[in-house]
């Protein structure tokens, strides 16, 4: 693992965006795995700036997002499709037809997950996968459990994840209880992985993920076994290392 520690959120965002920018410059038709949440907002803003400045282009790239709430259409303002449109896709030169987010409106969970897994395979797999980190060590919506889920699947969200995400809804009761997510196996197939984490509240889980045993109770610990991982932290998130 290549671990980069920055002074603050802004420096972390720029450093992480530079990793994605270099990927696009090296391979303009890259398949990017993207993530949502508050952590990547700054790096997406930096990518928009770089695209506006003509430093990078998404014109030949395509993307696959990690996850989506089950039961939310892409037009819902808390869906991850909506998030991606607002924070990145609407502001860069990417072909929206080449942006993929699991279809939360599909009622047949197995069909939704199988279709997504197949689409990733048909694209040739993910070149660079961006990840955030949950307080309980989850990546995507792969929650702590007794085994590492392999492929895209439907998951019941833990109460801690529901509470963490409730700040974005009017109440915790409105947070969906299930989500479609890439599996750990799908994530680990990415050729490169970029993990971005900020804030003192995640310092202990960062330590467990990077320095602790590889166990499914800390899902992101599996990243220790990947051959090409860059971790970008602000100094607060790195405090326990």
């Amino acid at each position: 693992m290549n671990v980069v520690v920055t002074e603050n959120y802004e420096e972390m965002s720029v450093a992480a965006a530079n990793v994605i920018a270099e990927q696009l410059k090296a391979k303009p038709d890259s398949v990017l795995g993207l993530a949502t949440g508050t952590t990547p907002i700054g790096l997406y803003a930096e990518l928009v700036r770089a695209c506006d400045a003509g430093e990078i282009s998404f014109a030949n790239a395509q993307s696959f997002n990690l996850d989506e709430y089950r039961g939310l259409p892409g037009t819902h303002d808390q869906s991850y499709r909506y998030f991606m449109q607002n924070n990145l896709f609407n502001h860069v030169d990417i072909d929206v037809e080449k942006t993929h987010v699991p279809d939360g409106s599909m009622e047949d969970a197995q069909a939704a997950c199988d279709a997504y897994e197949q689409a990733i395979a048909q694209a040739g797999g993910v070149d660079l996968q961006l990840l955030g980190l949950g307080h309980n060590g989850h990546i995507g919506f792969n929650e702590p459990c007794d085994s590492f889920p392999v492929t895209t699947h439907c998951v019941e969200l833990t109460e801690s994840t529901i509470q963490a995400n409730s700040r974005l809804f009017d109440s915790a009761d409105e947070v969906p209880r299930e989500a479609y997510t890439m599996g750990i196996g799908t994530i680990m197939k990415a050729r490169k992985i970029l993990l971005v984490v900020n804030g003192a509240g995640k310092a202990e889980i960062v330590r467990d993920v990077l320095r602790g045993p590889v166990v499914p109770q800390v899902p992101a610990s599996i990243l220790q076994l990947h051959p090409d991982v860059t971790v970008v932290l602000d100094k607060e998130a790195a405090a326990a290392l």
Side-chain angles (χ1 to χ4, degrees):
M1 284 187 176
N2 175 31
V3 179
V4 178
V5 179
T6 63
E7 278 297 308
N8 51 46
Y9 177 82
E10 289 72 23
E11 287 188 15
M12 179 205 75
S13 297
V14 171
N18 285 343
V19 174
I20 297 175
E22 290 304 313
Q23 174 68 34
L24 285 169
K25 291 173 186 176
K27 186 183 180 190
D29 62 347
S30 288
V31 178
L32 301 175
L34 300 177
T36 55
T38 54
T39 302
I41 289 175
L43 77 87
Y44 287 150
E46 177 62 18
L47 290 174
V48 170
R49 183 209 61 76
C51 191
D52 284 344
E55 298 168 11
I56 59 172
S57 173
F58 290 83
N60 295 310
Q62 59 180 313
S63 68
F64 288 87
N65 262 72
L66 280 167
D67 43 28
E68 178 62 281
Y69 287 119
R70 185 182 185 192
L72 292 191
T75 52
H76 191 287
D77 65 3
Q78 292 304 326
S79 75
Y80 291 159
R81 163 60 74 177
Y82 190 96
F83 175 99
M84 292 306 304
Q85 293 295 143
N86 275 8
N87 285 284
L88 185 65
F89 299 154
N90 288 346
H91 310 292
V92 295
D93 58 346
I94 198 165
D95 180 354
V96 71
E97 296 296 320
K98 294 181 179 179
T99 63
H100 307 274
V101 181
D103 187 352
S105 64
M106 281 187 71
E107 292 186 11
D108 187 331
Q110 194 61 54
C113 296
D114 289 348
Y116 204 66
E117 195 73 23
Q118 184 176 6
I120 295 170
Q122 287 176 340
V126 173
D127 291 304
L128 172 63
Q129 178 65 60
L130 171 66
L131 299 173
L133 181 66
H135 285 91
N136 61 4
H138 75 234
I139 45 177
F141 272 130
N142 293 284
E143 302 281 14
C145 60
D146 293 330
S147 62
F148 290 110
V150 178
T151 58
T152 302
H153 60 289
C154 183
V155 64
E156 275 192 42
L157 304 184
T158 63
E159 192 58 36
S160 66
T161 296
I162 289 168
Q163 290 302 320
N165 291 353
S166 65
R167 70 190 187 282
L168 304 172
F169 291 79
D170 289 338
S171 73
D173 293 337
E174 292 188 10
V175 183
R177 266 44 188 174
E178 293 181 314
Y180 299 141
T181 183
M182 286 187 195
I184 294 291
T186 311
I187 292 168
M188 290 291 284
K189 284 182 182 177
R191 295 170 186 91
K192 299 179 183 179
I193 289 176
L194 171 61
L195 177 65
V196 183
V197 194
N198 72 289
K202 292 185 178 176
E204 290 188 8
I205 194 64
V206 165
R207 177 199 61 209
D208 293 346
V209 165
L210 301 187
R211 301 287 185 259
V214 176
V215 291
Q217 290 77 20
V218 183
S221 64
I222 193 76
L223 298 178
Q224 294 180 39
L225 305 181
H226 193 281
D228 191 348
V229 179
T230 297
V231 184
V232 184
L233 311 168
D234 70 359
K235 64 181 181 181
E236 289 185 342
L241 292 178

